[in-house]
PDB file of all heavy atoms in Angstrom:
ATOM      1  N   ILE A   1       0.852  -1.151   0.071  1.00 42.00           N
ATOM      2  CA  ILE A   1      -0.020  -0.015   0.012  1.00 42.00           C
ATOM      3  C   ILE A   1       0.887   1.324  -0.013  1.00 42.00           C
ATOM      4  O   ILE A   1       0.577   2.223  -0.654  1.00 42.00           O
ATOM      5  CB  ILE A   1      -0.939  -0.009   1.239  1.00 42.00           C
ATOM      6  CG1 ILE A   1      -1.868  -1.219   1.155  1.00 42.00           C
ATOM      7  CG2 ILE A   1      -1.782   1.302   1.304  1.00 42.00           C
ATOM      8  CD1 ILE A   1      -2.856  -1.351   2.376  1.00 42.00           C
ATOM      9  N   LEU A   2       1.978   1.201   0.777  1.00 42.00           N
ATOM     10  CA  LEU A   2       2.853   2.311   0.856  1.00 42.00           C
ATOM     11  C   LEU A   2       3.422   2.593  -0.512  1.00 42.00           C
ATOM     12  O   LEU A   2       3.539   3.824  -1.012  1.00 42.00           O
ATOM     13  CB  LEU A   2       4.004   2.051   1.761  1.00 42.00           C
ATOM     14  CG  LEU A   2       5.096   3.157   1.982  1.00 42.00           C
ATOM     15  CD1 LEU A   2       4.423   4.486   2.414  1.00 42.00           C
ATOM     16  CD2 LEU A   2       6.177   2.714   2.902  1.00 42.00           C
ATOM     17  N   ARG A   3       3.850   1.527  -1.270  1.00 38.00           N
ATOM     18  CA  ARG A   3       4.428   1.665  -2.549  1.00 38.00           C
ATOM     19  C   ARG A   3       3.415   2.351  -3.542  1.00 38.00           C
ATOM     20  O   ARG A   3       3.641   3.175  -4.392  1.00 38.00           O
ATOM     21  CB  ARG A   3       4.878   0.400  -3.170  1.00 38.00           C
ATOM     22  CG  ARG A   3       6.188   0.006  -2.438  1.00 38.00           C
ATOM     23  CD  ARG A   3       6.881  -1.185  -3.315  1.00 38.00           C
ATOM     24  NE  ARG A   3       6.015  -2.375  -3.624  1.00 38.00           N
ATOM     25  CZ  ARG A   3       6.052  -3.360  -2.656  1.00 38.00           C
ATOM     26  NH1 ARG A   3       6.791  -3.324  -1.635  1.00 38.00           N
ATOM     27  NH2 ARG A   3       5.244  -4.420  -2.993  1.00 38.00           N
ATOM     28  N   HIS A   4       2.190   1.868  -3.425  1.00 44.00           N
ATOM     29  CA  HIS A   4       1.056   2.417  -4.131  1.00 44.00           C
ATOM     30  C   HIS A   4       0.867   3.901  -3.850  1.00 44.00           C
ATOM     31  O   HIS A   4       0.592   4.617  -4.864  1.00 44.00           O
ATOM     32  CB  HIS A   4      -0.296   1.618  -3.852  1.00 44.00           C
ATOM     33  CG  HIS A   4      -1.408   2.244  -4.498  1.00 44.00           C
ATOM     34  ND1 HIS A   4      -1.752   2.210  -5.757  1.00 44.00           N
ATOM     35  CD2 HIS A   4      -2.414   3.020  -3.877  1.00 44.00           C
ATOM     36  CE1 HIS A   4      -2.921   2.832  -6.002  1.00 44.00           C
ATOM     37  NE2 HIS A   4      -3.362   3.351  -4.806  1.00 44.00           N
ATOM     38  N   ARG A   5       1.001   4.296  -2.614  1.00 47.00           N
ATOM     39  CA  ARG A   5       0.714   5.677  -2.312  1.00 47.00           C
ATOM     40  C   ARG A   5       1.868   6.513  -2.932  1.00 47.00           C
ATOM     41  O   ARG A   5       1.605   7.623  -3.414  1.00 47.00           O
ATOM     42  CB  ARG A   5       0.746   5.892  -0.772  1.00 47.00           C
ATOM     43  CG  ARG A   5      -0.578   5.493  -0.170  1.00 47.00           C
ATOM     44  CD  ARG A   5      -1.639   6.582  -0.473  1.00 47.00           C
ATOM     45  NE  ARG A   5      -2.520   6.769   0.617  1.00 47.00           N
ATOM     46  CZ  ARG A   5      -3.221   7.874   0.887  1.00 47.00           C
ATOM     47  NH1 ARG A   5      -3.133   8.911   0.058  1.00 47.00           N
ATOM     48  NH2 ARG A   5      -4.006   7.975   1.935  1.00 47.00           N
ATOM     49  N   ILE A   6       3.083   6.048  -2.825  1.00 46.00           N
ATOM     50  CA  ILE A   6       4.176   6.734  -3.430  1.00 46.00           C
ATOM     51  C   ILE A   6       4.014   6.903  -4.928  1.00 46.00           C
ATOM     52  O   ILE A   6       4.289   7.950  -5.444  1.00 46.00           O
ATOM     53  CB  ILE A   6       5.589   6.197  -3.011  1.00 46.00           C
ATOM     54  CG1 ILE A   6       5.727   6.260  -1.465  1.00 46.00           C
ATOM     55  CG2 ILE A   6       6.690   6.855  -3.715  1.00 46.00           C
ATOM     56  CD1 ILE A   6       6.987   5.533  -0.960  1.00 46.00           C
ATOM     57  N   SER A   7       3.697   5.877  -5.567  1.00 42.00           N
ATOM     58  CA  SER A   7       3.336   5.871  -6.891  1.00 42.00           C
ATOM     59  C   SER A   7       2.286   6.854  -7.328  1.00 42.00           C
ATOM     60  O   SER A   7       2.407   7.677  -8.314  1.00 42.00           O
ATOM     61  CB  SER A   7       2.983   4.603  -7.553  1.00 42.00           C
ATOM     62  OG  SER A   7       4.012   3.566  -7.237  1.00 42.00           O
ATOM     63  N   PHE A   8       1.301   7.001  -6.459  1.00 47.00           N
ATOM     64  CA  PHE A   8       0.270   7.948  -6.643  1.00 47.00           C
ATOM     65  C   PHE A   8       0.724   9.368  -6.454  1.00 47.00           C
ATOM     66  O   PHE A   8       0.423  10.140  -7.268  1.00 47.00           O
ATOM     67  CB  PHE A   8      -0.814   7.632  -5.595  1.00 47.00           C
ATOM     68  CG  PHE A   8      -1.877   8.711  -5.586  1.00 47.00           C
ATOM     69  CD1 PHE A   8      -2.889   8.927  -6.565  1.00 47.00           C
ATOM     70  CD2 PHE A   8      -1.993   9.603  -4.486  1.00 47.00           C
ATOM     71  CE1 PHE A   8      -3.753   9.805  -6.499  1.00 47.00           C
ATOM     72  CE2 PHE A   8      -2.953  10.651  -4.429  1.00 47.00           C
ATOM     73  CZ  PHE A   8      -3.855  10.734  -5.509  1.00 47.00           C
ATOM     74  N   LEU A   9       1.663   9.533  -5.534  1.00 48.00           N
ATOM     75  CA  LEU A   9       2.273  10.886  -5.398  1.00 48.00           C
ATOM     76  C   LEU A   9       2.905  11.324  -6.706  1.00 48.00           C
ATOM     77  O   LEU A   9       2.808  12.417  -7.201  1.00 48.00           O
ATOM     78  CB  LEU A   9       3.260  10.922  -4.241  1.00 48.00           C
ATOM     79  CG  LEU A   9       4.051  12.107  -4.045  1.00 48.00           C
ATOM     80  CD1 LEU A   9       3.194  13.183  -3.570  1.00 48.00           C
ATOM     81  CD2 LEU A   9       5.194  11.965  -3.044  1.00 48.00           C
ATOM     82  N   LEU A  10       3.727  10.383  -7.297  1.00 44.00           N
ATOM     83  CA  LEU A  10       4.468  10.753  -8.504  1.00 44.00           C
ATOM     84  C   LEU A  10       3.448  11.065  -9.588  1.00 44.00           C
ATOM     85  O   LEU A  10       3.744  11.982 -10.471  1.00 44.00           O
ATOM     86  CB  LEU A  10       5.441   9.673  -8.842  1.00 44.00           C
ATOM     87  CG  LEU A  10       6.465   9.381  -7.821  1.00 44.00           C
ATOM     88  CD1 LEU A  10       7.301   8.105  -8.229  1.00 44.00           C
ATOM     89  CD2 LEU A  10       7.419  10.474  -7.654  1.00 44.00           C
ATOM     90  N   LEU A  11       2.467  10.236  -9.673  1.00 43.00           N
ATOM     91  CA  LEU A  11       1.413  10.472 -10.663  1.00 43.00           C
ATOM     92  C   LEU A  11       0.779  11.917 -10.520  1.00 43.00           C
ATOM     93  O   LEU A  11       0.650  12.594 -11.505  1.00 43.00           O
ATOM     94  CB  LEU A  11       0.327   9.456 -10.669  1.00 43.00           C
ATOM     95  CG  LEU A  11      -0.866   9.564 -11.533  1.00 43.00           C
ATOM     96  CD1 LEU A  11      -0.441   9.628 -12.984  1.00 43.00           C
ATOM     97  CD2 LEU A  11      -1.908   8.565 -11.351  1.00 43.00           C
ATOM     98  N   THR A  12       0.500  12.128  -9.242  1.00 45.00           N
ATOM     99  CA  THR A  12      -0.084  13.481  -9.044  1.00 45.00           C
ATOM    100  C   THR A  12       0.723  14.566  -9.263  1.00 45.00           C
ATOM    101  O   THR A  12       0.403  15.738  -9.724  1.00 45.00           O
ATOM    102  CB  THR A  12      -0.594  13.538  -7.606  1.00 45.00           C
ATOM    103  OG1 THR A  12      -1.311  12.295  -7.274  1.00 45.00           O
ATOM    104  CG2 THR A  12      -1.613  14.755  -7.310  1.00 45.00           C
ATOM    105  N   VAL A  13       2.113  14.418  -9.014  1.00 45.00           N
ATOM    106  CA  VAL A  13       3.072  15.474  -9.454  1.00 45.00           C
ATOM    107  C   VAL A  13       3.013  15.764 -10.872  1.00 45.00           C
ATOM    108  O   VAL A  13       3.039  16.939 -11.331  1.00 45.00           O
ATOM    109  CB  VAL A  13       4.486  15.080  -8.983  1.00 45.00           C
ATOM    110  CG1 VAL A  13       5.493  16.030  -9.598  1.00 45.00           C
ATOM    111  CG2 VAL A  13       4.658  15.033  -7.455  1.00 45.00           C
ATOM    112  N   CYS A  14       2.845  14.739 -11.698  1.00 42.00           N
ATOM    113  CA  CYS A  14       2.722  14.906 -13.132  1.00 42.00           C
ATOM    114  C   CYS A  14       1.467  15.729 -13.417  1.00 42.00           C
ATOM    115  O   CYS A  14       1.411  16.601 -14.220  1.00 42.00           O
ATOM    116  CB  CYS A  14       2.661  13.483 -13.786  1.00 42.00           C
ATOM    117  SG  CYS A  14       4.153  12.642 -13.680  1.00 42.00           S
ATOM    118  N   LEU A  15       0.396  15.385 -12.779  1.00 41.00           N
ATOM    119  CA  LEU A  15      -0.834  16.121 -12.878  1.00 41.00           C
ATOM    120  C   LEU A  15      -0.739  17.518 -12.643  1.00 41.00           C
ATOM    121  O   LEU A  15      -1.490  18.420 -13.059  1.00 41.00           O
ATOM    122  CB  LEU A  15      -1.964  15.475 -12.102  1.00 41.00           C
ATOM    123  CG  LEU A  15      -2.403  14.124 -12.614  1.00 41.00           C
ATOM    124  CD1 LEU A  15      -3.472  13.525 -11.625  1.00 41.00           C
ATOM    125  CD2 LEU A  15      -2.982  14.062 -14.070  1.00 41.00           C
ATOM    126  N   LEU A  16       0.122  17.843 -11.637  1.00 42.00           N
ATOM    127  CA  LEU A  16       0.276  19.248 -11.221  1.00 42.00           C
ATOM    128  C   LEU A  16       0.642  20.131 -12.419  1.00 42.00           C
ATOM    129  O   LEU A  16       0.356  21.356 -12.473  1.00 42.00           O
ATOM    130  CB  LEU A  16       1.393  19.282 -10.143  1.00 42.00           C
ATOM    131  CG  LEU A  16       1.739  20.685  -9.506  1.00 42.00           C
ATOM    132  CD1 LEU A  16       0.550  21.335  -8.845  1.00 42.00           C
ATOM    133  CD2 LEU A  16       2.931  20.467  -8.532  1.00 42.00           C
ATOM    134  N   PHE A  17       1.378  19.485 -13.343  1.00 38.00           N
ATOM    135  CA  PHE A  17       1.794  20.330 -14.498  1.00 38.00           C
ATOM    136  C   PHE A  17       0.753  20.491 -15.612  1.00 38.00           C
ATOM    137  O   PHE A  17       0.967  21.157 -16.543  1.00 38.00           O
ATOM    138  CB  PHE A  17       3.040  19.756 -15.050  1.00 38.00           C
ATOM    139  CG  PHE A  17       4.226  19.820 -14.123  1.00 38.00           C
ATOM    140  CD1 PHE A  17       4.530  18.877 -13.254  1.00 38.00           C
ATOM    141  CD2 PHE A  17       5.215  20.884 -14.243  1.00 38.00           C
ATOM    142  CE1 PHE A  17       5.636  19.040 -12.357  1.00 38.00           C
ATOM    143  CE2 PHE A  17       6.235  20.953 -13.421  1.00 38.00           C
ATOM    144  CZ  PHE A  17       6.484  20.033 -12.464  1.00 38.00           C
ATOM    145  N   LEU A  18      -0.420  19.750 -15.395  1.00 40.00           N
ATOM    146  CA  LEU A  18      -1.414  19.721 -16.514  1.00 40.00           C
ATOM    147  C   LEU A  18      -2.557  20.657 -16.058  1.00 40.00           C
ATOM    148  O   LEU A  18      -3.199  20.409 -15.114  1.00 40.00           O
ATOM    149  CB  LEU A  18      -1.811  18.301 -16.725  1.00 40.00           C
ATOM    150  CG  LEU A  18      -0.805  17.317 -17.196  1.00 40.00           C
ATOM    151  CD1 LEU A  18      -1.455  15.912 -17.305  1.00 40.00           C
ATOM    152  CD2 LEU A  18      -0.163  17.730 -18.439  1.00 40.00           C
ATOM    153  N   PRO A  19      -2.850  21.586 -16.964  1.00 41.00           N
ATOM    154  CA  PRO A  19      -4.050  22.490 -16.609  1.00 41.00           C
ATOM    155  C   PRO A  19      -5.355  21.805 -16.718  1.00 41.00           C
ATOM    156  O   PRO A  19      -6.247  22.108 -16.037  1.00 41.00           O
ATOM    157  CB  PRO A  19      -3.912  23.592 -17.695  1.00 41.00           C
ATOM    158  CG  PRO A  19      -3.063  22.999 -18.827  1.00 41.00           C
ATOM    159  CD  PRO A  19      -2.211  22.008 -18.214  1.00 41.00           C
ATOM    160  N   SER A  20      -5.409  20.784 -17.619  1.00 39.00           N
ATOM    161  CA  SER A  20      -6.688  20.023 -17.765  1.00 39.00           C
ATOM    162  C   SER A  20      -6.443  18.732 -18.472  1.00 39.00           C
ATOM    163  O   SER A  20      -5.415  18.641 -19.200  1.00 39.00           O
ATOM    164  CB  SER A  20      -7.813  20.831 -18.462  1.00 39.00           C
ATOM    165  OG  SER A  20      -7.584  20.862 -19.760  1.00 39.00           O
ATOM    166  N   ALA A  21      -7.212  17.733 -18.064  1.00 37.00           N
ATOM    167  CA  ALA A  21      -7.037  16.470 -18.772  1.00 37.00           C
ATOM    168  C   ALA A  21      -7.192  16.537 -20.318  1.00 37.00           C
ATOM    169  O   ALA A  21      -6.645  15.704 -21.070  1.00 37.00           O
ATOM    170  CB  ALA A  21      -7.942  15.393 -18.225  1.00 37.00           C
ATOM    171  N   ALA A  22      -7.984  17.482 -20.741  1.00 38.00           N
ATOM    172  CA  ALA A  22      -8.270  17.547 -22.184  1.00 38.00           C
ATOM    173  C   ALA A  22      -7.240  18.460 -22.944  1.00 38.00           C
ATOM    174  O   ALA A  22      -7.362  18.650 -24.151  1.00 38.00           O
ATOM    175  CB  ALA A  22      -9.656  18.148 -22.350  1.00 38.00           C
ATOM    176  N   SER A  23      -6.318  18.937 -22.142  1.00 46.00           N
ATOM    177  CA  SER A  23      -5.310  19.992 -22.819  1.00 46.00           C
ATOM    178  C   SER A  23      -4.474  19.193 -23.888  1.00 46.00           C
ATOM    179  O   SER A  23      -4.058  18.133 -23.685  1.00 46.00           O
ATOM    180  CB  SER A  23      -4.494  20.499 -21.749  1.00 46.00           C
ATOM    181  OG  SER A  23      -3.489  21.445 -22.397  1.00 46.00           O
ATOM    182  N   ALA A  24      -4.374  19.903 -25.067  1.00 49.00           N
ATOM    183  CA  ALA A  24      -3.531  19.353 -26.093  1.00 49.00           C
ATOM    184  C   ALA A  24      -2.240  20.136 -26.263  1.00 49.00           C
ATOM    185  O   ALA A  24      -1.570  19.904 -27.220  1.00 49.00           O
ATOM    186  CB  ALA A  24      -4.245  19.379 -27.416  1.00 49.00           C
ATOM    187  N   VAL A  25      -1.867  20.955 -25.317  1.00 59.00           N
ATOM    188  CA  VAL A  25      -0.649  21.806 -25.413  1.00 59.00           C
ATOM    189  C   VAL A  25       0.410  21.152 -24.480  1.00 59.00           C
ATOM    190  O   VAL A  25       0.162  20.519 -23.565  1.00 59.00           O
ATOM    191  CB  VAL A  25      -0.948  23.311 -25.050  1.00 59.00           C
ATOM    192  CG1 VAL A  25      -2.084  23.876 -25.776  1.00 59.00           C
ATOM    193  CG2 VAL A  25      -1.406  23.358 -23.461  1.00 59.00           C
TER     194      VAL A  25
END
């Protein structure tokens, strides 16, 4: 579960850079 949470953190860091899921820029 801990590894899953850390993976989730890294995924969310990536999302931090995205203004929206539909963005094509």
Side-chain angles (χ1 to χ4, degrees):
I1 296 176
L2 180 60
R3 289 197 300 271
H4 169 73
R5 280 289 213 156
I6 294 174
S7 298
F8 171 72
L9 174 68
L10 296 175
L11 173 62
T12 313
V13 169
C14 295
L15 291 176
L16 180 61
F17 291 86
L18 299 178
S20 73
S23 176
V25 300

